[in-house]
């Protein structure tokens, strides 16, 4: 079983977001980066499947050199090797193109990733990768078991769950509770230093989108307490201030 | 959002910018590591702290361990935590490769301890185990090591330090637990131990006590005490006649049972000698620096968690208007962080907690160098460490209590309730000036031994190190006044020593040490001032060379601002201490009648 796990390097959830260059660039200074939490679920399940079925787990990241600590952490968790496509992950299509190019070269049985990154939360990459590779793409996957060349999958759908079976190879966007996050152990941390991390250049530097500008949402207002017997006041405020009805 | 309990940014600043952790990897012993392995180890500890410890802070406090029918039950999450720590390899991370560890420097291991204890100090189990296992790997036979250490480092067996007895607390020379030699080389143990943290519980499959006892017929006093491994269950699984005869219900740290143990009620408690007979106390004391760094870290961690809770509250809690806008009753109330007195309390907490952490990491770095360097470098590091230890243990714990008190104060009435964590943390931290040698014992150690050992070489080394920082700070115009102030403090310290020394030279040790705790207070302020100046120099260099923006700019500027606070608010306290220490009026060495208490 050859598994490719695509991971993102994203700002820690407690980061205060600021922009530079006239609000056209995200300010990375002082920001703590982490592995995308949904990608972490995908990696944890990949490592479990490898332990159960044998095979290899390769981690892929599209990012510049500053993402390598995140990649090393994935290696410490149990991936066997890693590939970094040396490029700024500008948009979903660009990232998907890079993943597809690597996948075409190496023929994986499973391509796992988080259902979405937690920086831009696009949730598009797995779908585009599937399309580019001509493989089924399923998301958000909550449960995954492999039986021979068949994947048994449970995914979340509106108001419930859907059980599926599909033949490998597949592209899957993962979420909890597919596996429990794994905490790297010291042995893994030490061996990660010597695991191969290959850096490759992107297939092309062209992107289809450009950022015109970023804007932060308005800060949350203070809570207004309305006495329970003043429903009319509440309705009026919902109309005139909150403008939600 | 959950309340943050420590600042990752501050820890990274201290480890990598102030203490340059990666430089330790130049020593052969640490050469398998790099900055990334250090950070990954800290990340793993943070993950465990975030998921298995911090969420249970209150729950563990409210559900104290109980002793029922001879069995001690602790919170079920303790087992999960111990398993996670064992699986992650973090209990033995600082042990050598040979002993199943990863040769992580104490600088990093103690930082891991800081994170864990900031998250939930009520789960203080693994530090005890690694301390006990370290005694076995340092002094025990290969057989003892093979039999006990692997399960301890895996988190499936608990380790304890079984020292204290009802009549032998600070005075360990009065230990009376007795070991009777047996023909097979083992010993039968009889006696009682009290206050044994994690001395019995159901979160591990066995409890391994590292116990001080006196071999039958051994000389009285400190020279007749030996160290034993005394398991709860023997290797074949049979009960070893270690009985839990009582459990203490403590003021804080409710997650860890403090046990009263009785050995040999059925005359069937077997112990195994560690190292040579009668060397128990020297063995223990060789491990004492590590243990005291651990207690200091626990105090700094608890105070840090309380500070972050208070800081968050102060930013969110609106109350009253600014003092110059008191009459503007139609304007909204301002968050309390805008009141100068609240800011003073917060700056005090930041100055104490981040200054304490810096001092402890300095000590941990010296510990590492004292272990792996050669020649003069090794000896000097050891001497400096030895001198700093009383301050590194006592300042964080004594001042930590005051800091958490100010955290409670920041919350006002809410701080006194169970709605916020600070009331618990205030109870929890109170033990730290008592653990591992009370403040009084530390003070006697500092003034009675450390200041004068090797002809006063240790203080000379310390003053030389502080002078290096003073010289660096003196090159920046805005830091120079503080460098000069610290120079004056060194002079003040020397003056105090000059005033005290004649008492020691005349053999009047009681007088010499009568106010040793005040001398410890004075030295604590001086070395923490040194740490703040050191941090300010690094922050200043970053401001000048890295052009930081946003939060980074605020972080570095905040470091310099807090240094100034420490020098303007805390350092002047040395004046009063010095006056008292040089005072010729002695009020504590008088007859009981004159004392009239």
């Amino acid at each position: 079983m050859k598994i490719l796990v695509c991971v993102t390097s994203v700002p820690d959830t407690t980061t205060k977001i600021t922009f530079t260059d006239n609000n056209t660039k995200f300010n990375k200074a002082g920001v703590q980066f982490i592995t995308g939490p949904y990608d972490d679920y995908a990696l944890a399940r990949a490592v479990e499947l490898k332990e159960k079925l044998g095979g290899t787990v390769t981690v892929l990241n599209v990012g510049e050199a500053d993402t390598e600590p995140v990649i090393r952490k994935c290696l410490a968790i149990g991936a066997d090797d890693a590939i970094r496509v040396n490029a700024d992950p500008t948009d979903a299509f660009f990232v998907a193109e890079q993943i597809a190019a690597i996948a075409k070269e190496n023929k994986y049985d499973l391509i796992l990733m988080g259902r979405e990154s937690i920086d831009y939360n696009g949730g598009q990459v797995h779908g585009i990768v599937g399309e580019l590779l001509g493989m089924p793409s399923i998301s958000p996957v909550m449960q995954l078991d492999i039986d021979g060349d068949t994947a048994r999958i449970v995914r979340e759908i509106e108001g419930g769950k859907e059980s599926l079976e599909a033949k490998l190879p597949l592209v899957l966007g993962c979420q909890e509770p597919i596996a429990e996050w794994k905490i790297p152990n010291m042995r893994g941390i030490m061996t990660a230093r010597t695991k191969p991390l290959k850096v490759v250049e992107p297939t092309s530097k062209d992107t289809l989108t450009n950022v015109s500008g970023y804007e932060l949402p308005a800060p949350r207002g203070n809570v207004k307490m309305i006495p329970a017997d003043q429903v009319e006041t509440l309705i009026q405020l919902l109309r005139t201030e909150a403008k939600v009805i | 959002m959950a309340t943050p309990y420590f600042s990752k940014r501050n820890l990274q600043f201290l480890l990598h910018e102030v203490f340059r952790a990666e430089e330790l990897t130049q020593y052969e012993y640490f050469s398998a590591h790099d900055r990334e392995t250090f950070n990954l180890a800290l990340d793993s500890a943070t993950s465990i702290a975030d998921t298995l410890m911090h969420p249970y802070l209150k729950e563990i406090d409210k559900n104290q361990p109980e002793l029922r029918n001879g069995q001690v039950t602790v919170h079920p999450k303790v087992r999960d935590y111990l398993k996670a720590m064992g699986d992650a390899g973090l209990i033995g991370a600082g042990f050598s490769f040979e002993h199943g560890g990863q040769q992580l420097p104490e600088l990093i291991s103690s930082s891991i301890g800081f994170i864990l204890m900031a998250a939930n100090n009520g789960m203080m189990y693994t530090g005890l185990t690694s301390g006990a296992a370290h005694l076995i790997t340092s002094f025990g036979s290969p057989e003892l090591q093979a039999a006990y250490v692997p399960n301890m480092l895996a988190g499936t067996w608990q380790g304890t330090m079984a020292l204290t007895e009802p009549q032998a607390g600070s005075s360990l020379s009065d230990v009376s637990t007795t070991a009777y030699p047996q023909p097979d080389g083992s010993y039968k143990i009889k006696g009682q131990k009290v206050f044994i943290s994690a001395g019995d519980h159901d979160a591990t499959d066995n409890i391994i006590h590292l116990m001080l006892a006196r071999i039958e017929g051994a000389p009285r006093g400190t020279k007749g005490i030996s160290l034993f491994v005394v398991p709860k269950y023997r290797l074949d699984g049979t009960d070893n006649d270690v009985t839990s005869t009582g459990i203490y219900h403590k003021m804080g740290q409710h997650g860890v049972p403090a046990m009263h143990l009785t050995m040999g009620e059925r005359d069937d408690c077997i112990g195994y000698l560690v190292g040579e007979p009668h060397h128990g106390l020297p063995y223990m004391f060789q491990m004492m620096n590590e243990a005291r760094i651990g207690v200091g870290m626990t105090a700094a961690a608890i105070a840090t968690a309380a500070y972050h809770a208070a800081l968050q509250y102060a930013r969110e809690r609106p109350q009253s208007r600014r003092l110059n806008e008191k009459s503007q009753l139609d304007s909204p109330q301002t968050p309390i962080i805008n009141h100068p007195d609240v800011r003073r309390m917060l700056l005090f907490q930041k100055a104490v907690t981040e200054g304490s952490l810096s001092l402890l990491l300095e000590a941990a770095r010296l510990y590492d160098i004292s272990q792996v360097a050669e020649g003069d470098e090794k000896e000097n590091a050891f001497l400096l460490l030895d001198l700093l230890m009383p301050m590194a243990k006592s300042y964080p714990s004594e001042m930590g209590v005051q800091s958490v008190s100010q955290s409670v104060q920041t919350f006002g009435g809410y701080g006194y309730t169970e709605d916020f964590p600070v009331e618990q943390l205030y109870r929890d931290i109170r033990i730290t000036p008592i653990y591992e040698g009370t403040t009084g014992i530390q003070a006697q150690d500092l003034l009675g031994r450390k200041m004068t050992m090797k002809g006063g070489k240790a203080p000379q080394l310390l003053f030389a190190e502080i002078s290096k920082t003073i010289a660096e700070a003196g090159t920046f115009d805005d830091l120079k006044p503080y460098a000069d102030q610290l120079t004056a403090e060194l002079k003040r310290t020397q003056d105090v020593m000059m005033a005290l020394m004649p008492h020691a030279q005349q053999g009047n040790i009681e007088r010499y040490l009568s106010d040793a705790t005040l001398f410890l207070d004075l030295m604590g302020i001086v070395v923490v001032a040194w740490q703040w100046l050191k941090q300010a120099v690094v922050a200043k260099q970053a401001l000048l060379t890295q052009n930081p923006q946003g939060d980074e700019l605020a972080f570095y500027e905040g470091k310099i601002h807090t240094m100034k606070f420490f020098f303007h608010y805390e350092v002047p306290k040395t004046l009063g201490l010095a006056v008292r220490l040089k005072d010729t009026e002695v009020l504590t060495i008088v007859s009981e009648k004159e004392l009239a208490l």
Side-chain angles (χ1 to χ4, degrees):
Chain A
M1 170 77 57
K2 271 181 79 174
I3 308 174
L4 180 70
V5 181
C6 308
V7 300
T8 52
S9 170
V10 292
D12 193 353
T13 47
T14 57
T15 305
K16 272 193 241 162
I17 303 294
T18 58
F19 305 110
T20 58
D21 293 8
N22 203 23
N23 288 339
T24 59
K25 276 192 180 160
F26 167 57
N27 180 13
K28 290 184 178 179
V31 172
Q32 177 97 13
F33 282 85
I34 59 169
T35 316
Y38 296 115
D39 309 331
D40 249 343
Y41 286 119
L43 176 63
R45 188 60 188 143
V47 171
E48 286 174 359
L49 289 172
K50 183 188 83 164
E51 284 166 359
K52 188 174 163 193
L53 305 169
T56 58
V57 173
T58 299
V59 163
L60 171 62
N61 168 255
V62 180
E64 291 168 338
D66 57 3
T67 65
E68 288 195 3
V70 160
I71 299 172
R72 285 279 172 214
K73 186 173 178 184
C74 296
L75 292 170
I77 283 172
D80 299 283
D81 59 351
I83 301 167
R84 178 170 68 81
V85 178
N86 186 29
D88 186 19
T90 43
D91 61 46
F93 188 80
F94 175 79
V95 171
E97 266 189 318
Q98 309 312 315
I99 295 170
I102 298 288
K104 276 177 190 164
E105 246 177 66
N106 297 288
K107 306 283 182 219
Y108 298 98
D109 300 302
L110 265 179
I111 300 175
L112 305 183
M113 60 190 78
R115 70 171 204 198
E116 63 191 61
S117 62
I118 62 151
D119 44 9
Y120 297 95
N121 300 78
Q124 303 169 58
V125 173
H126 41 78
I128 304 173
V129 171
E131 184 65 25
L132 292 173
L133 293 174
M135 290 180 192
S137 162
I138 300 166
S139 183
V141 175
M142 303 166 70
Q143 196 178 319
L144 168 65
D145 287 294
I146 304 292
D147 185 1
D149 64 350
T150 304
R152 299 188 204 289
I153 291 164
V154 176
R155 73 164 170 167
E156 188 174 7
I157 56 170
E158 190 69 33
K161 294 175 186 175
E162 181 181 40
S163 298
L164 300 163
E165 281 189 11
K167 293 285 179 197
L168 303 179
L170 288 170
V171 182
L172 305 179
C174 305
Q175 69 171 34
E176 74 280 12
I178 192 167
E180 278 192 27
W181 283 334
K182 291 194 182 303
I183 294 171
N185 63 34
M186 282 306 300
R187 199 174 297 277
I189 289 168
M190 301 303 284
T191 53
R193 290 187 78 198
T194 54
K195 287 181 178 175
L197 194 170
K198 190 165 128 189
V199 180
V200 300
E201 291 305 312
T203 51
S204 82
K205 301 242 181 217
D206 299 334
T207 58
L208 300 178
T209 58
N210 283 309
V211 175
S212 322
Y214 290 109
E215 195 180 324
L216 289 174
R220 284 184 195 171
N222 290 331
V223 172
K224 223 171 225 180
M225 304 298 286
I226 313 294
D229 58 355
Q230 295 179 19
V231 178
E232 283 183 3
T233 310
L234 173 65
I235 292 170
Q236 190 192 349
L237 288 170
L238 288 172
R239 281 203 175 111
T240 55
E241 280 195 17
K243 294 179 181 164
V244 292
I245 57 173
Chain B
M1 192 175 72
T3 306
Y5 51 89
F6 79 105
S7 160
K8 282 184 194 174
R9 180 67 189 92
N10 183 52
L11 188 57
Q12 289 283 316
F13 168 75
L14 290 171
L15 286 177
H16 296 303
E17 296 173 63
V18 177
F19 295 110
R20 297 191 283 271
E22 208 169 358
E23 286 181 3
L24 287 171
T25 64
Q26 291 166 11
Y27 295 97
E28 174 65 28
Y29 187 81
F30 298 126
S31 61
H33 288 280
D34 59 16
R35 183 180 176 129
E36 232 163 59
T37 63
F38 292 163
N39 284 341
L40 283 170
L42 294 167
D43 272 358
S44 289
T46 306
S47 297
I48 291 172
D50 282 347
T51 55
L52 293 170
M53 299 179 76
H54 194 54
Y56 304 100
L57 179 69
K58 187 171 179 180
E59 204 176 304
I60 274 185
D61 183 62
K62 293 288 156 225
N63 295 279
Q64 293 201 47
E66 293 295 343
L67 171 65
R68 288 194 188 97
N69 303 321
Q71 303 294 317
V72 180
T73 311
V74 296
H75 194 284
K77 280 289 165 191
V78 174
R79 184 175 276 270
D80 295 348
Y81 160 68
L82 291 171
K83 182 175 183 321
M85 285 290 288
D87 288 350
L90 289 175
I91 300 174
F95 285 53
S96 66
F97 293 134
E98 181 196 348
H99 291 125
Q102 298 296 338
Q103 299 193 175
L104 210 54
E106 178 68 14
L107 183 63
I108 306 301
S109 298
S110 60
S111 299
I112 288 171
F114 170 77
I115 294 168
L116 302 175
M117 290 300 95
N120 188 345
N121 77 92
M123 291 170 109
M124 184 197 65
Y125 288 83
T126 49
L128 296 164
T129 299
S130 62
H134 202 177
L135 275 170
I136 302 176
T137 59
S138 300
F139 308 113
S141 64
E143 292 76 21
L144 275 184
Q145 292 177 19
Y148 292 97
V149 173
N151 281 327
M152 293 170 82
L153 299 192
T156 50
W157 289 0
Q158 173 70 50
T160 81
M161 298 288 204
L163 281 64
T164 308
E165 297 179 8
Q167 78 295 344
S170 293
S171 176
L172 285 174
S173 57
D174 291 318
V175 160
S176 69
T177 294
T178 307
Y180 300 91
Q182 301 300 297
D184 65 354
S186 67
Y187 292 77
K188 278 202 171 174
I189 309 289
K190 251 183 152 16
Q192 293 190 36
K193 294 284 173 183
V194 295
F195 299 139
I196 307 308
S197 295
D200 195 9
H201 60 83
D202 60 347
T204 54
D205 301 332
N206 202 354
I207 313 278
I208 312 303
H209 305 287
L210 270 288
M211 189 175 289
L212 290 181
R214 195 178 292 283
I215 295 173
E216 186 184 23
R220 294 182 62 189
T222 53
K223 289 181 181 164
I225 296 172
S226 303
L227 180 64
F228 296 87
V229 164
V230 181
K232 178 181 178 184
Y233 297 110
R234 296 176 198 156
L235 294 176
D236 62 7
T238 54
D239 184 275
N240 194 37
D241 193 16
V242 179
T243 310
S244 291
T245 40
I247 189 166
Y248 296 94
H249 286 122
K250 300 171 291 177
M251 179 179 181
Q253 293 204 318
H254 286 168
V256 189
M259 299 306 302
H260 184 150
L261 302 174
T262 302
M263 281 68 63
E265 274 191 333
R266 303 189 310 270
D267 196 27
D268 193 24
C269 176
I270 302 293
Y272 306 95
L273 183 67
V274 178
E276 299 293 319
H278 316 317
H279 282 59
L281 272 187
Y283 290 162
M284 277 289 178
F285 279 111
Q286 282 182 53
M287 316 305 287
M288 214 39 105
N289 283 339
E290 254 178 299
R292 287 176 175 165
I293 290 174
V295 174
M297 271 298 176
T298 301
I302 297 169
T304 296
Y307 160 57
H308 284 282
L311 179 60
Q312 186 180 43
Y313 184 80
R315 284 178 172 147
E316 292 171 356
R317 164 78 171 162
Q319 196 68 192
S320 191
R321 282 116 201 127
R322 297 188 75 145
L323 292 173
N324 290 341
E325 298 164 2
K326 272 286 199 193
S327 56
Q328 298 171 21
L329 295 178
D330 290 336
S331 61
Q333 297 192 60
T334 191
I336 60 171
I337 197 169
N338 290 328
H339 299 307
D341 192 54
V342 174
R343 290 183 174 184
R344 180 191 55 76
M345 290 194 284
L346 292 168
L347 278 165
F348 173 75
Q349 293 164 60
K350 182 177 178 182
V352 167
T353 55
E354 294 183 7
S356 294
L357 180 59
S358 186
L359 178 62
L360 285 154
L361 294 177
E362 179 85 64
R365 189 186 65 86
L366 287 167
Y367 175 88
D368 288 325
I369 295 171
S370 76
Q371 299 294 305
V372 301
E374 301 287 341
D376 284 351
E377 189 189 14
K378 184 185 183 82
E379 192 197 329
N380 290 348
F382 188 78
L383 274 173
L384 253 178
L385 172 67
D386 238 16
L387 177 65
L388 280 177
M389 272 329 300
M391 286 83 89
K393 193 265 167 179
S394 298
Y395 185 91
S397 47
E398 289 285 353
M399 294 305 292
V401 172
Q402 292 189 34
S403 181
V404 183
S405 176
Q406 292 296 290
S407 308
V408 173
Q409 196 73 14
T410 307
F411 277 84
Y414 287 110
Y416 198 62
T417 70
E418 293 177 354
D419 295 356
F420 292 95
V422 287
E423 67 83 24
Q424 177 188 341
L425 297 173
Y426 192 39
R427 288 184 281 107
D428 288 345
I429 198 171
R430 189 58 189 84
I431 185 64
T432 58
I434 299 169
Y435 273 152
E436 298 295 349
T438 62
T439 302
I441 295 288
Q442 302 299 325
Q444 289 182 23
D445 184 40
L446 174 66
L447 189 58
R449 198 169 74 83
K450 305 282 178 66
M451 290 300 288
T452 52
M453 65 184 174
K454 298 214 167 185
K457 190 175 174 191
Q460 283 171 22
L461 287 168
L462 176 64
F463 285 15
E465 282 298 310
I466 295 176
S467 297
K468 278 187 211 165
T469 305
I470 288 171
E472 278 186 277
T475 61
F476 301 105
D477 286 347
D478 50 346
L479 301 188
K480 191 168 183 310
Y482 303 99
D484 293 343
Q485 195 179 344
L486 190 52
T487 304
E489 291 305 323
L490 293 184
K491 170 78 172 52
R492 193 193 310 281
T493 308
Q494 285 166 330
D495 288 348
V496 168
M497 272 309 284
M498 292 295 283
L500 292 176
M501 276 313 290
H503 302 303
Q505 285 158 351
Q506 290 155 19
N508 190 354
I509 302 303
E510 191 169 71
R511 171 66 185 93
Y512 176 59
L513 297 179
S514 58
D515 284 331
T517 297
L518 302 183
F519 183 76
L520 176 64
D521 289 347
L522 183 148
M523 287 294 288
I525 293 171
V526 171
V527 295
V528 174
W530 167 43
Q531 291 302 309
W532 269 112
L533 195 61
K534 204 172 202 180
Q535 293 185 56
V537 167
V538 176
K540 185 76 193 170
Q541 285 162 342
L543 287 169
L544 292 174
T545 59
Q546 295 172 19
N547 188 28
Q549 305 289 321
D551 285 355
E552 283 294 278
L553 177 65
F555 177 82
Y556 290 120
E557 287 182 340
K559 279 290 173 190
I560 293 174
H561 193 72
T562 312
M563 178 278 292
K564 290 180 180 174
F565 176 87
F566 195 86
F567 274 78
H568 286 284
Y569 282 76
E570 292 302 301
V571 173
K573 292 176 181 171
T574 60
L575 183 61
L577 290 166
V579 167
R580 170 55 226 159
L581 283 160
K582 291 195 282 188
D583 196 336
T584 53
E585 183 74 36
V586 183
L587 299 171
T588 51
I589 308 176
V590 291
S591 68
E592 274 197 43
K593 192 178 167 196
E594 286 173 284
L595 196 62
L597 288 174

